[in-house]
Amino acid sequence: MLDEAKTIQSVDPDEGGTAPSRRQVRLSEKPADLLSKEGFALYVGKTPAAVVAMAKAGKLPAFYMSDPLKPGGLAELWINRREWDKYAEQLVEQVPEEWHGWKDRISARKPGRRAPKLDDQGDAYTDVRKTVRRRGRVTRVG
């Protein structure tokens, strides 16, 4: 990660007033275990609204904190980042072996470029093919 913290702009409707205020959320290089909805959204690449929806659906290790001196007051949503990361690691350990095939499909070459074909000695050779135009279609032969 960069030396500077990443930021996300969020509109917070909880702060009252006629126009929602904008505030900047920063995520440090080593975030805390508990993250606000905005911090967690930045951490996983979602919007704060998506994080709230995931929490309401029970898809996050989340809880609401409120001031015990203000019963009925607004509660803040907090997500346990460490539990999220532990479960992500657990998922990778439990997947079928075929899932790991994604690693074989990653390449450092530009998309659309093919690796040169090699002969038995490991030398590159050119694959000669004819292109034939038939009734408006281009067909490769060979």
Side-chain angles (χ1 to χ4, degrees), residues 124-138:
Y125 68 92
T126 305
D127 186 14
V128 179
R129 294 183 180 181
K130 288 183 183 178
T131 302
V132 178
R133 183 174 293 275
R134 293 184 187 155
R135 295 184 189 169
R137 296 186 197 147
V138 176

Side-chain angles (χ1 to χ4, degrees), residues 12-49:
D12 192 0
D14 298 336
E15 291 191 7
T18 56
S21 64
R22 291 201 175 264
R23 61 182 173 150
Q24 205 173 53
V25 177
R26 297 169 48 98
L27 186 63
S28 71
E29 192 170 318
K30 296 178 184 174
D33 290 347
L34 292 178
L35 296 175
S36 66
K37 64 185 176 196
E38 296 87 2
F40 190 76
L42 185 60
Y43 184 70
V44 296
K46 301 261 184 208
T47 64

Side-chain angles (χ1 to χ4, degrees), residues 44-60:
V44 296
K46 301 261 184 208
T47 64
V51 170
V52 169
M54 290 170 69
K56 285 181 181 177
K59 296 179 179 180
L60 293 176

